[in-house]
Amino acid sequence: MDGERREARKAPESLVQLASVVRQVGSPGAREKDFVSWGACLGDMEGAMELRHLRYFVAVAEEGSLTLAAEKRLHTAQPSLSRQIRDLEYEVGVQLMSRSVHGIELTAAGRAFLDHARLALTQAEAAAEAARRAAQPIKPTFAMGFLTGQEVNWLPHVTSFLRDELLNVEIRVSSDRSTMLADDLQRGKLDIAFLRRQQQADLEYKFVAKEPLVVILPSDHPLAERDAIDPHDLVGETFIGISRVPCVLRVVIDDYLQRSGIEIVPHLDGIDNFAMAISLVASTRSVALLPASTQNFLKWSVISRPLKGEAPTIDLAVGYHKANTSPILRTFLSRIDDLTARVSSKARRMSGPGSAAAPR
């Protein structure tokens, strides 16, 4: 704020400096085609230098034409603009512009004046912005993070549950991988995050849902005609392998394949981005096992199918920092059971017979 006050004080000083610098640069001799008539200036002079004079001068200097500056930049009449420039030159005490066959040209004094005029305008704008910021109370913020794909399922319900608490609060929402979300919680950049549990000091977790894994495959793949896919049918298919870092999803997949008595060596391994996995499914005609939430951003050429039998699941939790004292966070945690019940109920309705999410 001290820096902003200093900037605000500089603006009027710059106007004085402008006149001083230009008077030193200006020469007593006038060019043959003077832009101003000094006798006319005396009669037209209305007052001291103002910021509008500087804006007019800069516009004419940059356009190189009174007509263009008046019509394109300033939306004023040319005679009025000419008078403003004459007033400015009278106040400074030297000629700043002259007419030539090429239009308006700056004198040596005008060139010296231009840089300082731009600086004065910039400082004046900075002063005004500082004043506006000081007059506007700073809103508290509540930052939420979502494992990519989960924002579709949870964000509307979270904002609905916290509607009253969030009325005068700035809400920040981001999506990322669980490891990145945990890091942001650790550093205090997020208040809450919907993510997979991470081994991170000082973080607390509350379980919110078990998410089933589904088969992701091209929409014209032979297996796509089935209502549900037996894991044994995945043997021999081009399989997309998930990265071991983060390891949570990879552990769930490997454990499921082992329990099913299946050994699958991924053709493409180490993928740590769901969007990339889906793109690879489409481009290489591969299959993948991914959490059901990835169905929220499948492209038209890729579909999902449930697994036959008891599908593997992966836990989703809400994470937060132990030291976070946000009252909104406390309110959210006190209502989390109601929140999970609402989302679970909606998920059951969406997966019921005849729904878009129902097996086909």
Side-chain angles (χ1 to χ4, degrees), residues 4 33 43 70 77 79 161 207 213 225 298 331 342 347 352:
E4 292 172 346
K33 293 185 178 180
F161 263 66
F207 168 82
L213 300 193
E225 299 179 359
L298 292 182
T331 301
R342 175 184 290 191

Side-chain angles (χ1 to χ4, degrees), residues 34-55:
D34 287 347
F35 174 65
V36 296
S37 168
W38 294 109
C41 283
L42 294 174
D44 290 340
M45 185 60 198
E46 292 182 348
M49 186 189 309
E50 299 179 9
L51 289 176
R52 61 188 171 86
H53 293 120
L54 303 186
R55 294 191 184 95

